[in-house]
Amino acid sequence: MSNRRSRQSSSAPRISDDQMIDLVTKLRQILPEIGQRRRSDKVSASKVLQETCNYIRNLNREVDNLSERLSQLLESVDEDSPEAAVIRSLLM
Amino acid sequence: MASLISDIEPPTTDLVRRKKRSSVSSAASPSTSAASVSGESHARWRSEKQQRIYSAKLIQALQQVRLNSSAATSSSPTAQKRGKAVREAADRALAVSARGRTLWSRAILANRIKLKFRKQKRPKTPTKIPSMTTVVNSSNRSRTRRVSVLRLNKKNIPDVNRKVRVLGRLVPGCGKQSVPVILEEATDYIQALEMQVRAMNSLVQLLSSYGSAPPPI
C-alpha cells in the first residue's frame, strides 16, 4: 500500500530497510564486478550505487562510440548500393 | 542477385545466430541465479526474442537516419552529429522495445517529441532533419545543466541518498523520483543498455565485415 502511494508521489517518506536492501541486492547482481565476485553482504549500498553510476556512464560511453562507428560504416556502405540492398534484405 | 544473396546468407545468419546464441548462453548462468530475485526483468532483456525485436527496430531506425542524411547532404556535415543521430535512433528503438512499461523509456520518447515541438513550431516531417540535430544539442545541454536541489526525502543515510540522486540524473526521466523508483528504473535501464551494446556491436561487426570484403561478382 505504501509502496503504491510512494510510487505516485515524488517523495517517499517511508521506505523500509528490507525494500532498500532488496533493491540494492538486485542492482548488485547486475553489476559486472561486485555482483559476481563475492556474494557476501560486506559490500555497502554506497559502493553499489557508486559502481552503478560508473557502469551506466561506461555503457553510455560505449553506446556513443558504437553509434559513431555505425554512422561511419553506414556512410561507407551507402556508396555500394547493391551491397546495401543485400545487407538490408539479410538483416531484415 | 538471387545467387548473391544465397551465397552470402549462410555466414551472415550464422554470425547473427552466433551472436544470439552466445548472448543467451552467457546470460543463462546469471539469469538462473538471479531468477529468484528479479527473474522477470533479467529474462526480458536477455531473451532472444527481445534481442531480435530490438535488432529489427534498430535497423529500421538506422535506415531512416541514413535516408535523412542522404536526402539533405548539408544537414549533418560533422561525424559527431551523424554519430549522435545514430545514438538517438538507437535510444528511440530501445525505448520503443520497452513497450512503455518503464519510466526511462517513456522519458526518452517524450523528450524527443517535446524538444522537437519546442524547436519547430510546425511538426512537419520535412523539417525533421534540422530539428534532430538541434534536439540532440539541446537535450544534451539541458541534461547536464539540470541541477537537482532535492531535499525532499529525509533518509537515514545521507550519503546513500546523494548517490541515489546522482543515479537518478543518469537515468533518463528519473531526476525527481523517489529512491525505490530510481533503483528499479536503474536496474532495467542497465540491462536495456547492455542489450543495446550487444546489438550495436554485432551490427558493427556485420557491417565492417561487409565493408572489408571485396564485392563478389
Side-chain angles (χ1 to χ4, degrees), chain B residues 86-99:
Chain B
V86 170
R87 170 83 208 254
E88 292 249 304
D91 282 346
R92 226 182 5 232
L94 192 68
V96 167
S97 307
R99 303 184 132 265

Side-chain angles (χ1 to χ4, degrees), chain A residues 31-90:
Chain A
L31 296 180
E33 271 192 23
I34 293 189
Q36 319 271 324
R37 241 191 311 154
R38 325 183 301 170
R39 303 227 167 219
S40 61
D41 339 348
K42 287 193 189 158
V43 186
S44 68
S46 166
K47 183 107 168 66
V48 169
L49 291 172
Q50 185 67 46
E51 289 297 323
T52 310
C53 293
N54 294 339
Y55 191 47
I56 290 185
R57 285 197 199 103
N58 285 339
L59 282 176
N60 271 327
R61 204 176 28 216
E62 220 175 308
V63 172
D64 280 333
N65 290 340
L66 279 174
S67 49
E68 201 140 323
R69 275 174 70 187
L70 256 184
S71 69
Q72 288 170 6
L73 281 172
L74 286 175
E75 292 290 312
S76 64
V77 165
D78 237 349
E79 293 158 13
D80 313 323
S81 48
E83 277 195 13
V86 163
I87 289 173
R88 233 176 288 136
S89 62
L90 286 171

